Structures are given as C-alpha cells and as structure tokens.
Amino acid sequence: ALQTSDADTAEVSILYSFSPVPGEEQASVFSNVNRGIIGIEMSHGEAMLRFGPSQMIAGNLSFEKVIARFAEEQGVAEDDIPTQVGFQRFEAAQFLISVEGEAVVERLFRGNLLVDQTQVTEQGVADLARRMGAWMSANLQDDGRMVYRYWPSRSRESISTNMIRQWMASVCLVRLGRHFDDPIMLQRAEQNIRYNLAHYYSEEEGLGFIEHGGKVKLGALALAALAIAEHPEREALRAYEDALGRSIDVLWQSDGSFRTFLKPADRTGQDNFYPGEALLYQSTIYRETKDPVLLQRIEDSADHYWSWHLAHRNPAFTPWHTMAYANIWRETANSEFSDKIIEMNDWLLSMQQSAPEAYPDVDGRFYDPDRQQFGPPHASSTGVYLEGLIQAYKVASDLEDTERAEAYRRGIVQGIRSLMQLEFRDDIDMYYVSARDQVRGGIRTTVYNNEIRVDNVQHGLMALLQILRTFEADDYLLE
C-alpha cells in the first residue's frame, strides 16, 4: 500500500523490454519524438544511470542532456561517448494513482492522457479557448507585463523576452476582450500596451521605435501598431500608432520589398515573418481607409514576396500573408489574392502530421520529419497556421470551392486536437507541477517539451476565437 502524509498522487512506471542500442542507432533511437515513450539506461564501468520516460517528461529532460550529464560525471569526452558509454533503451507502462480515498488509476501515454479526435466539439473548443484565455490573464502581471516564457518543471519564469511575441500577446489580449465583451480584459490589454510602450517605445525624428537589445524589427513595429489599432482606446494611443506607421513606411521599398530592421540599419533576414506582419497591419488600415496609394503598395509587396516565396518556399510565410491577403480580397475581390491564399494553404496542409506510423499524440501538428529544413515542431507554429487556415477556409467557402474548404476544415479540426493534447488541463497532466495556477490552460511547446512560451498560447487562442465565430457545430466533426 502507498502511504504518505504529503503526497496525493503517485506516478508508477513498470519497466520492460530492455535492449542494447549500438552507436550507429543512438541518434534515431534517442530522438526527441521518443522522449517520454522510451527510457534510457547508460553505463560506464561499474556506474549505471537510468531515466524512465515519465521522469524525463516531468523533469523536461532531453536525451542529449542526460547523456551529456552522465558522460561529464564519468569523465568521458563527447567524442568518446558512442564507444565508451553503454546504452540500453526500455519500454515503460506509465500509471498515475490517486492515493487519497479510493484509489483511481489512470494509464498515461507520455505522461499524459491521449486526446481523442472526438473530443474536438464546439463546446470543447469554447472551453479550451476560455482556459487559454485564463492562462493569458493569470500570466499578465499587476503592472501590465506579460510573462514571456515559463518552465513548469522548475516553477520558474525566464528573464528573456521577445518584442514580436510580446506585441502579439497584446493583440491577443485585445481580441480576447472583444470576443467575450469583457471590459476588464480590455482594460488589462490597454495596461499591457502601455507597459510595453513605457519600456520599449522611443521616437527619433518622428519615427516610432520598438527597441530591445539594440534591434528595431519591422515585425515588432507592425504588431505594436496592430494592437493599438484594434483596441477601443485607439484614439488615446493614436500618436504612437502614427509614429509606428511612419517607421513601417520608411522601411517599404519601391520594388515592394521591406527592409526588415530599422536597427541595425544593415541587418536583413526574417523575410518569412516580418513583411507578412507588416502587410497584415497595412491591410487592416486599408480596410478602414480604402487608400488607393496604400493598396498599390500592398499589391506591389504581394507581387514581390510571392516571387520570393516560390523561390524560398517555407510554411512560416503562409499564415501572415494569408491573413493580409484575405483582408484585401474581401475589399477588392481581386482573384490574385485569393489564388495565392489557396496555393499557399494547399501546400501547407502537406506539412500536417497524421501518418499512421507516428505516435498518436503528435497527430495534427504541422511538422514533416522528411522536411526538417523548415524547423522543429512547435505549438506556436500549429497555432499560427490555424490562424491562416481559418481565413483560407472562409475564402474557399465564399468562393464556393467546397473541396478546398473541406480540406481546410479537416486540417483545422486536426490541428485543434493537437492544441488540446498540448494543453495543461487538469491535475492528471500537471501531476509533477507545483505552481498549477500559473500553468493551467497553458500550451506546451511539444508533447515532449513542457516549456510554455506566450506565443504557444496566443496564436492558438486567436485562431480558436476566429474558428468559434466561423464554424457551425457539425464543422468540428471529422466524420
């Protein structure tokens, strides 16, 4: 019998199927996707160290980290690890047992319960959005500062930050307040905007800067301006938005491209992200003003970046340009924009993982193991792709392209399941978390990395708010 005065839950792993792992197989066997599924045993001389799969999930440990730690303790050089350290893999049946009152036993998969696709319902998605919104609220500090990165295993916040993601959080807070018609949330969103302005905004010769670490990024300028533009108290903040808009205009070039950094002036890059974020803001302004000069600039940029995208295809480009082009298409009915939206999102769906050989908890995420040049899987990627896909779905539906609308709908529903799988929802998947109020409703980075970054939550939440306004109850069903 389990007896303790302190614990209310016990996690038990039953280990079995030990097998040696030769050096040439170590990279594939001890890969990230196997974290939390298999365990690792390392030996050197008489020393042996073993990590079970649920232990690695609870500690947020990678195979790479535990191997390096063991080798350092044993005085084995990195290059000698494959020949001097013995490795075994093993399986583990994972159980969570309540030890208060009548015992309740839950069979875990990678330290969690599997989310079935049937759990994606209208009510389930609405509840998920509310919990994610509660996480945003819980992590918005009294002075308006938003927590950027949090480590549940250590109950600790990172001191790092990122202006792009912080200002996206501001946009999300505004949309959250508007969606739920919540004046308190809108007040908190304004407080967050003003906190960010007080700490990161400056002006030089009439240009508004969002600066951190010596960098002024096009994307941060655009998202800060968008957050202000969408807030009901926009007029009180208009001077900031206008100055930020002037900076975006300065970065626009006559060939339709954008310089992506104001500081350092010679810095380039991030073309998959920042120009699309700028176009999203500009398309929002065009919908208000119908300014023909601005429309021509947007069309020139769309032409420039479409050629660039086809030569440097990357899924990260798709959602930002989809959202921007959808805004313009709704005002102009220009088929060049709808055609681009459809081509981009048709290709994006090929990145969604649902192969039968994959572990069931990764189904629905946007990651192709055969195209790793596009980066690792990440909750924020799934979230922002859903933001784009719901706009693509609306465009395809308006065009009465039922086949494509159905493909986008199915991709959206599968992506929602992935977000549900990544959520810290209850005491079962938070069994190793002490600061649960700060974690509940947060979205893990992956099923095997429990770090919560603010964009893990905000992108998915902004997508869900759009989906809830667009889908009917039956649209959440796959069959």
Side-chain angles (χ1 to χ4, degrees), residues 115-129 179 386 390 393 405-406 408-417 419-420 460-479:
V115 174
D116 188 82
Q117 191 67 56
T118 59
Q119 293 174 247
V120 182
T121 64
E122 184 175 40
Q123 187 61 55
V125 173
D127 291 343
L128 174 62
H179 180 85
L386 290 177
I390 186 59
Y393 169 82
E406 174 64 6
Y408 300 154
R409 184 193 69 81
R410 294 180 69 86
I412 289 167
V413 173
Q414 290 172 302
I416 293 172
R417 192 222 68 85
L419 288 183
M420 286 181 165
L461 179 54
M462 289 193 288
L464 294 181
L465 298 181
Q466 283 284 331
I467 293 163
L468 286 165
R469 287 195 292 270
T470 305
F471 275 14
E472 302 293 336
D474 290 347
D475 291 329
Y476 296 91
L477 308 177
L478 275 188
E479 302 301 335

Side-chain angles (χ1 to χ4, degrees), residues 318 322-323 326 330 341-342 344-346 385-399 404-405 408 412:
T318 297
T322 295
M323 289 185 279
R330 290 189 183 101
I341 288 170
I342 287 169
M344 284 189 292
N345 287 277
D346 282 358
Y385 295 150
L386 290 177
E387 283 190 85
L389 275 170
I390 186 59
Q391 296 303 321
Y393 169 82
K394 291 163 74 171
V395 169
S397 297
D398 289 344
L399 291 171
R404 280 198 168 87
Y408 300 154
I412 289 167

Side-chain angles (χ1 to χ4, degrees), residues 136-147 157 188 191-192 195 438:
M136 295 288 292
S137 182
N139 284 272
L140 184 59
Q141 306 303 292
D142 291 342
D143 61 358
R145 180 184 67 85
M146 175 61 74
V147 170
E157 177 188 351
R188 295 287 279 142
Q191 186 184 21
N192 171 253
Y195 176 92
Q438 194 147 356

Side-chain angles (χ1 to χ4, degrees), residues 9-147:
T9 306
E11 190 277 322
V12 177
S13 292
I14 301 173
L15 314 185
Y16 62 98
S17 293
F18 284 75
S19 59
V21 181
E24 66 273 13
E25 296 180 11
Q26 289 167 14
S28 60
V29 170
F30 299 127
S31 61
N32 275 332
V33 76
N34 290 326
R35 284 166 59 182
I37 300 293
I38 66 169
I40 182 172
E41 181 184 284
M42 299 162 286
S43 59
H44 180 256
E46 296 183 358
M48 188 270 285
L49 186 62
R50 181 184 293 161
F51 285 89
S54 55
Q55 182 183 6
M56 296 185 72
I57 290 295
N60 208 33
L61 300 171
S62 66
F63 288 117
E64 182 181 38
K65 185 180 293 185
V66 299
I67 290 170
R69 183 185 301 173
F70 181 75
E72 182 179 4
E73 290 173 352
Q74 298 302 310
V76 177
E78 182 179 353
D79 292 343
D80 295 330
I81 291 174
T83 56
Q84 293 193 19
V85 176
F87 290 94
Q88 287 203 96
R89 59 165 287 171
F90 56 87
E91 309 291 328
Q94 304 167 33
F95 300 92
L96 197 66
I97 305 171
S98 169
V99 296
E100 287 189 334
E102 185 177 350
V104 176
V105 180
E106 297 281 0
R107 178 73 181 264
L108 303 180
F109 185 90
R110 209 191 304 259
N112 197 359
L113 297 179
L114 280 173
V115 174
D116 188 82
Q117 191 67 56
T118 59
Q119 293 174 247
V120 182
T121 64
E122 184 175 40
Q123 187 61 55
V125 173
D127 291 343
L128 174 62
R130 287 189 178 276
R131 291 192 299 269
M132 291 169 71
W135 184 93
M136 295 288 292
S137 182
N139 284 272
L140 184 59
Q141 306 303 292
D142 291 342
D143 61 358
R145 180 184 67 85
M146 175 61 74
V147 170

Side-chain angles (χ1 to χ4, degrees), residues 164 168 171 217-227 229-230 241 244-253 256-261 269-287 294-295 297-299 301-302 305 316-317 319-325 327-328:
I164 303 285
M168 283 192 298
V171 174
K217 305 172 182 177
L218 171 64
L221 301 173
L223 291 167
L226 184 65
E230 294 194 7
E241 183 187 350
L244 293 166
R246 289 191 290 271
S247 295
I248 295 169
D249 289 343
V250 165
L251 290 171
W252 187 83
Q253 307 296 295
S257 67
F258 286 92
R259 286 170 47 210
T260 48
F261 288 80
Q270 301 298 332
D271 291 273
N272 279 309
F273 300 94
Y274 299 173
E277 291 158 356
L279 288 172
L280 178 57
Y281 172 68
Q282 289 185 331
S283 68
T284 301
I285 298 305
Y286 176 74
R287 295 194 75 181
L294 179 57
L295 177 60
R297 284 192 170 199
I298 293 170
E299 289 175 345
S301 292
Y305 283 105
F317 180 95
W320 298 108
H321 287 259
T322 295
M323 289 185 279
Y325 297 172
N327 279 340
I328 299 301

